[in-house]
Amino acid sequence: MQRWPTLLVLLCALSIVGVGSAAKATPLKGIYGTQIKSSNAGLSGTWLINFVADGTYVVVKEPKAKVLLIGGSSTVSGHRVTLVDKVGPLRCTGKSATGTYSWTITGKSLKFTRVKDTCDGRPLVFASSTWTKIG
């Protein structure tokens, strides 16, 4: 798997979402990957998420990592993160656009646990496995 082209795509995708400025950088900053194995072929594969310092995030899936699937903003308060999907074909919309998760980081491993999320797809991707920091 070639990581550098994927990482560049993630960085470019952030310009689509619209990177803003924030008073405090997110502790989730970085690029994380996870492998999802599912009977649903659309879910199975390597997923990547990039959190930038201001909380903006983008989600892509390899091997088609050049396609922005979800982009949005996040706010961290303690060990809870609120995600708000804004763009992308797999984004959650309406009241389901916002989801809240608790998170823990141990070494390079990031784990999300759903607190409140009415979106059908986001918990399957975010909370289904452990994410590993790759960048």
Side-chain angles (χ1 to χ4, degrees), residues 5 24-25 31 38 40-41 45 53 69 81 91 95-96 102 113 115 132:
K24 186 176 177 183
I31 300 170
S38 172
N40 179 336
L69 298 177
V81 60
R91 75 184 181 278
K95 292 181 181 180
S96 294
S102 62
T113 303
V115 174
T132 302

Side-chain angles (χ1 to χ4, degrees), residues 28-55:
L28 300 176
K29 181 182 176 199
I31 300 170
Y32 301 85
T34 191
Q35 183 72 31
I36 297 177
K37 295 178 182 174
S38 172
S39 58
N40 179 336
L43 266 180
S44 290
T46 301
W47 291 79
L48 301 168
I49 185 168
N50 184 5
F51 287 99
V52 294
D54 71 351

Side-chain angles (χ1 to χ4, degrees), residues 5-6 9-10 13 60-69:
T6 299
V9 169
L10 284 170
V60 298
K61 182 180 169 219
E62 292 185 335
K64 296 183 180 183
K66 295 177 183 172
V67 178
L68 171 71
L69 298 177

Side-chain angles (χ1 to χ4, degrees), residues 85 90-93 96-98 101 114 117-123:
D85 291 356
L90 297 184
R91 75 184 181 278
C92 300
T93 59
S96 294
T98 302
Y101 292 78
R114 178 170 48 178
D117 195 345
T118 58
C119 178
D120 292 330
R122 188 171 36 228

Side-chain angles (χ1 to χ4, degrees), residues 82-129:
T82 300
L83 304 164
V84 182
D85 291 356
K86 295 183 177 182
V87 298
L90 297 184
R91 75 184 181 278
C92 300
T93 59
K95 292 181 181 180
S96 294
T98 302
T100 302
Y101 292 78
S102 62
W103 61 272
T104 56
I105 293 179
T106 306
K108 290 187 173 191
S109 297
L110 170 62
K111 179 76 176 159
F112 293 104
T113 303
R114 178 170 48 178
V115 174
K116 183 179 180 184
D117 195 345
T118 58
C119 178
D120 292 330
R122 188 171 36 228
L124 296 174
V125 174
F126 278 84
S128 66
S129 61

